[in-house]
Amino acid sequence: MTNLVVRRRIGALFLTLSVITVSTIMGGVAAAAAPVPLSSVVPIPVSATATSGVTHTLTAATKIYAQSGSTPASDIGGYLAAILRPSTGLPLPVVPAPNSAPADGIALLLTGAPAAVGAQGYQLDITAANVTLRANQPAGLFAGVQTLRQLLPPAVESTTVQPGPWEIAGGHIVDYPRFGYRGAMLDVARHFFGVAAVRRYIDQLALYKVNYLHLHLADDQGWRIAINSWPNLAVYGGSTAVGGGPGGYYTQADYSGLVAYAASRYITIIPEIDMPGHTNAALASYAQLNCNGVAPPLYTGTNVGFSSLCVPLELTYTFIDQVIGELAALTPGPYLHIGGDEASSTTPADYTTFINRVQQIVAAHGKTVLGWHDVVHATPLPSTVAQFWGTTTTDSAVAAAAAAGTKVLMSPANRTYLDMKYRNNTRLGQKWAGLIDVNQAYGWNPGNYLGGVGETSVLGVEAPLWTETIRTTADIDFMAFPRLPAIAELGWSAYATHDLTVFKTRLGAQGPRWRVMGINYYHSTQVTWPAGS
Ligand code: NGO
């Protein structure tokens, strides 16, 4: 009989419980599942070498040692403990690491990592005696914690005590990202998603080392952030949604809370106000923003390209300056996204005038412009980043901009758009950019995809989730899983590791974890799921 001693604190007492492992009950012979292999981590690490026959087991004595004197390290220790305690029932105290590397427990250290892992990478050593995670910066510790988490059995994600054992395969991992920007976008304008839903998505993104969350905060159907100098934007412009539902918006306190929550997961939020098109909600909220002085009605359909801010009107730029000013003050990160897509109700000359002027406003507020790749038709500032959302592998204007130094964020719609259907009969989503199952989402190379846009021009990869047809967190889960981890891997892992067959098995191995986490994932037939998942 295999007994695992679990110490749980109940009130002021420590109770010692004996938990009989499931394998004992079911098989009679103690045949605990083998530890998760190092090779199953998503995104796949740069290098992972297993030490055969060695495992590390978490016990009631395990401590989490955090780099002494580092608040971020002890916060990351607390984050790890908060994930592990409910399922393991172990106390897992977070304590300052001694000066020399601890001989036991899990150590989160900001010393001794190889320079090659940079600011976001880490080194992880797992021996029978201890687990040692080293990074140069807290972001690297956080990334390494996600790897460690995936190396524990899926049941570790449970919110209730599970039998264990909590074994981790022995080995040595050195890991760092291919691209510094690995993003996801959530459209909270077509349907509004409240703070809890966005936090849930942030937590899911963190598990796959995504480090930017772009929030599409305003579109024709809704304006979702309170702007103090233009209050009607949120109150009226945010009052509905696609299909005519109730809408909603973030107060600035809500939004700051999201920014802080994301930061605690090493994710930077990028706010987007789409303009000059996709602005019906703003135009409906303030008649004086319209060229004819008449406010259009609120819009709850799904057409695009019919609205435009009034380019010749000086008030337009006062408005933008005040909106961008308030957003910049709420945004510790470097980027503000100005949209710029599908401005088919704006003349090309007006478009150029407008984008060039808005870039100056963003720069005056100390931020860097991100825009959909349409902005290359204006005159991008040297720092402006163009987000490619096309469906072809050639775009001469984007290639010319890249040749002139513009960095490109890769979101090809037929590869990365999480709102595309998986198959013709997928209940949710659209088809305009094609069907996207795992082969299609994973089977491309961001550094060598768009003609004339080589690896050095690519800032990173982002998976947008537009929400014309998406209403609930279960819908978000269904469209994001399993494709989001595929895109996250393209952003993190070296292209030399790219292998569709192996990836389908690694991705499938995440299924049991998603099940424990309550993620409503799509059971793609292209993924090799383990039996029973
Ligand atoms: C396009 C369009 C969005 C839609 C989305 C739906 C871009 C950049 N503009 O992508 O307004 O919501 O497709 O897939």
Side-chain angles (χ1 to χ4, degrees):
M1 285 262 273
T2 309
N3 288 340
L4 176 71
V5 176
V6 179
R7 304 192 81 198
R8 291 185 73 195
R9 195 181 173 119
I10 299 179
L13 295 172
F14 274 109
L15 268 189
T16 301
L17 308 174
S18 287
V19 180
I20 301 166
T21 61
V22 174
S23 59
T24 308
I25 295 167
M26 293 175 63
V29 182
V36 175
L38 265 51
S39 56
S40 69
V41 172
V42 176
I44 191 168
V46 170
S47 83
T49 314
T51 317
S52 67
V54 170
T55 55
H56 180 84
T57 306
L58 306 186
T59 70
T62 301
K63 292 187 173 70
I64 298 176
Y65 297 99
Q67 177 72 47
S68 172
S70 167
T71 303
S74 67
D75 287 349
I76 293 166
Y79 165 89
L80 176 61
I83 291 169
L84 304 185
R85 283 178 189 144
S87 54
T88 63
L90 301 173
L92 299 169
V94 180
V95 299
N99 284 339
S100 54
D104 62 340
I106 300 172
L108 311 178
L109 304 178
L110 289 167
T111 56
V117 304
Q120 295 185 31
Y122 62 92
Q123 174 180 289
L124 179 61
D125 285 286
I126 301 147
T127 69
N130 64 3
V131 173
T132 310
L133 177 59
R134 295 178 180 277
N136 297 313
Q137 296 290 332
L141 285 184
F142 190 79
V145 158
Q146 303 308 323
T147 297
L148 183 58
R149 192 177 159 188
Q150 288 190 22
L151 290 174
L152 280 155
V156 84
E157 303 292 344
S158 177
T159 53
T160 57
V161 176
Q162 302 298 310
W166 306 108
E167 293 181 341
I168 310 167
H172 174 70
I173 295 178
V174 177
D175 195 17
Y176 49 88
R178 176 182 181 188
F179 296 110
Y181 186 118
R182 303 167 305 280
M185 188 210 82
L186 184 63
D187 171 9
V188 295
R190 269 52 177 273
H191 281 104
F192 180 63
F193 292 88
V195 166
V198 178
R199 284 183 171 216
R200 175 183 166 88
Y201 202 41
I202 286 169
D203 282 330
Q204 293 172 354
L205 298 174
L207 180 57
Y208 294 100
K209 303 186 174 81
V210 170
N211 64 344
Y212 283 92
L213 173 62
H214 162 187
L215 290 177
H216 184 77
L217 290 171
D219 209 303
D220 290 319
Q221 299 86 348
W223 185 288
R224 307 301 183 198
I225 173 105
I227 299 295
N228 296 331
S229 48
W230 297 77
N232 225 25
L233 291 169
V235 172
Y236 182 68
S239 63
T240 190
V242 165
Y249 64 87
Y250 307 118
T251 64
Q252 293 201 354
D254 288 341
Y255 189 81
S256 293
L258 279 176
V259 168
Y261 189 80
S264 74
R265 271 78 180 143
Y266 290 83
I267 291 174
T268 301
I269 291 192
I270 299 176
E272 178 189 352
I273 299 296
D274 202 347
M275 50 191 155
H278 291 276
T279 43
N280 188 77
L283 295 167
S285 304
Y286 287 98
Q288 64 268 39
L289 289 176
N290 294 270
C291 285
N292 64 0
V294 178
L298 292 170
Y299 181 70
T300 60
T302 57
N303 290 339
V304 295
F306 62 89
S307 55
S308 179
L309 289 174
C310 186
V311 175
L313 188 70
E314 200 47 37
L315 182 66
T316 296
Y317 305 96
T318 307
F319 165 75
I320 293 170
D321 184 55
Q322 292 175 342
V323 169
I324 294 288
E326 290 191 35
L327 274 182
L330 294 169
T331 303
Y335 299 111
L336 289 189
H337 202 302
I338 63 167
D341 58 319
E342 298 177 317
S344 24
S345 299
T346 317
T347 65
D350 273 0
Y351 182 81
T352 298
T353 304
F354 178 87
I355 294 293
N356 289 352
R357 197 152 167 196
V358 173
Q359 289 186 103
Q360 296 299 339
I361 294 172
V362 172
H365 288 286
K367 297 296 176 187
T368 302
V369 174
L370 244 170
W372 298 105
H373 74 255
D374 315 51
V375 300
V376 303
H377 296 287
T379 317
L381 293 177
S383 57
T384 292
V385 175
Q387 183 169 9
F388 178 72
W389 63 281
T391 55
T392 61
T393 54
T394 52
D395 185 310
S396 55
V398 175
T406 297
K407 289 274 189 282
V408 180
L409 175 59
M410 293 299 290
S411 299
N414 55 335
R415 301 287 185 171
T416 67
Y417 268 31
L418 300 178
D419 59 315
M420 291 301 119
K421 291 177 182 287
Y422 292 93
R423 300 154 55 112
N424 261 316
N425 65 358
T426 303
R427 181 176 59 87
L428 302 168
Q430 310 199 54
K431 291 200 291 192
W432 71 262
L435 301 172
I436 305 181
D437 206 330
V438 167
N439 291 4
Q440 179 75 3
Y442 178 79
W444 61 290
N445 178 357
N448 181 22
Y449 182 74
L450 191 57
V453 181
E455 176 113 9
T456 56
S457 294
V458 174
L459 179 71
V461 185
E462 183 172 297
L465 178 49
W466 302 95
T467 59
E468 286 93 336
T469 68
I470 309 302
R471 292 181 177 77
T472 65
T473 52
D475 293 350
I476 294 176
D477 286 3
F478 187 79
M479 299 309 266
F481 289 86
R483 295 179 292 193
L484 172 83
I487 305 297
E489 172 143 331
L490 292 180
W492 179 280
S493 303
Y495 199 69
T497 63
H498 197 94
D499 181 326
L500 181 61
T501 310
V502 176
F503 179 66
K504 286 176 172 181
T505 303
R506 283 192 296 111
L507 189 58
Q510 301 288 308
R513 192 168 301 269
W514 299 338
R515 181 156 294 195
V516 176
M517 293 172 80
I519 295 177
N520 175 40
Y521 65 96
Y522 168 63
H523 213 272
S524 166
T525 55
Q526 295 185 355
V527 173
T528 312
W529 304 104
S533 72

